[in-house]
Amino acid sequence: MLSKVVSTPPRCDTVAAGPITMRILVVEDEPRLLHNLAKALREEGYAVDTAENGEDGLFKAETYNYDAVVLDIMLPQLDGWGMLERLRKHKKTPVLMLTARDAHTDRVRGLDSGADDYLVKPFDLGELLARVRALIRRAAGQSRSNLQIGDVAIDTRNRTVTLAGQPVTLTAREYAILEYLALHRGEVVTRTDLYEHLFDESDDTLSNLLDVHIFSIRKKLGADLITTRRGQGYCIES
């Protein structure tokens, strides 16, 4: 079990609002593919917003802080090239581009235009999810896929958690909260940040869902794992 720290308080510094791992924007004009991508990402624990054209996608990408954008190239109103070019004037959000065009020049153009990764249709869903995870880790400055906090081990590649070597089952949303706090270990994360970046546009952010999830994580992994800073938020001590 996790040992309780009694000599000194947790060393958690308040962090200003900024990009939080877990919220993703998918911009795709093919309805079935858009639905399937959003569904798969939500099942992985991500908060997902969607857009069916480049103009709507650009508005959302510039308005909200996403941790990754999955962007199709062939879009109505504003294509993926145009959206990426305009987005890069204001934000460095990681972008994974999707296209049915497999020409070498298209891949080079995508990467040179500011895309962080490139995937050709048709693609394997598992590969897309792995690429998204890699983008999020790199953006958070975390190259390794394994995070260790006392007796708690988090495998971000397989999205699994163990306690003293024994597997612990978390819901997708519980895992998302735990992974984010672990990636930002030593920082106080406000409730507002967690709501805005872990719950998508279809969620009821005025509910007590966050409290319920935090309580459940503590029950499964130890009451001392996540510290509450009253009036500030939550943190995992450094």
Side-chain angles (χ1 to χ4, degrees):
M1 296 296 290
L2 293 172
S3 59
K4 185 175 182 179
V5 178
V6 295
S7 57
T8 58
R11 298 191 301 274
C12 293
D13 300 320
T14 301
V15 59
I20 309 297
T21 59
M22 295 304 157
R23 191 169 186 179
I24 297 174
L25 173 65
V26 180
V27 189
E28 167 63 57
D29 67 326
E30 201 285 301
R32 183 174 179 180
L33 179 57
L34 178 63
H35 171 78
N36 290 339
L37 285 175
K39 181 174 182 291
L41 288 164
R42 287 185 179 119
E43 288 175 350
E44 288 290 302
Y46 298 109
V48 183
D49 294 343
T50 61
E52 297 181 359
N53 61 72
E55 289 289 355
D56 289 346
L58 180 63
F59 173 79
K60 290 185 177 182
E62 290 183 330
T63 302
Y64 305 106
N65 289 323
Y66 293 103
D67 303 284
V69 176
V70 178
L71 175 63
D72 188 25
I73 289 181
M74 305 303 291
L75 295 168
Q77 298 186 24
L78 177 66
D79 66 19
W81 302 125
M83 177 180 160
L84 179 61
E85 180 181 1
R86 290 165 62 177
L87 178 64
R88 282 292 174 257
K89 294 178 181 179
H90 308 287
K91 289 194 173 184
K92 298 180 180 180
T93 309
V95 173
L96 170 61
M97 298 199 80
L98 303 178
T99 181
R101 303 169 67 177
D102 191 21
H104 173 73
T105 54
D106 288 330
R107 295 197 297 273
V108 171
R109 179 182 177 185
L111 296 173
D112 284 345
S113 297
D116 298 271
D117 204 351
Y118 195 101
L119 196 56
V120 177
K121 299 177 181 178
F123 52 81
D124 177 75
L125 183 58
E127 181 180 359
L128 180 139
L129 295 174
R131 288 173 182 265
V132 167
R133 290 194 296 270
L135 286 181
I136 289 175
R137 286 199 304 270
R138 289 201 296 269
Q142 175 67 43
S143 59
R144 296 181 296 109
S145 61
N146 295 307
L147 305 174
Q148 190 74 38
I149 306 167
D151 289 338
V152 176
I154 305 168
D155 183 340
T156 62
R157 177 179 292 113
N158 297 310
R159 302 180 71 80
T160 58
V161 178
T162 60
L163 175 63
Q166 298 301 312
V168 177
T169 301
L170 300 181
T171 67
R173 188 57 56 79
E174 289 167 1
Y175 176 85
I177 293 170
L178 176 65
E179 182 183 289
Y180 168 66
L181 291 174
L183 285 171
H184 295 267
R185 189 175 179 180
E187 301 172 351
V188 174
V189 183
T190 68
R191 292 173 61 87
T192 299
D193 285 342
L194 286 170
Y195 274 131
E196 288 182 351
H197 298 282
L198 295 177
F199 296 83
D200 61 38
E201 55 195 357
S202 65
D203 283 310
D204 176 11
T205 58
L206 298 179
S207 71
N208 66 341
L209 282 176
L210 183 58
D211 298 311
V212 172
H213 291 316
I214 293 291
F215 175 82
S216 181
I217 294 170
R218 286 170 169 159
K219 185 176 181 180
K220 294 176 181 179
L221 297 175
D224 299 320
L225 177 62
I226 300 174
T227 300
T228 299
R229 287 293 185 87
R230 293 193 180 279
Q232 298 181 36
Y234 301 100
C235 72
I236 291 177
E237 67 178 273
S238 59

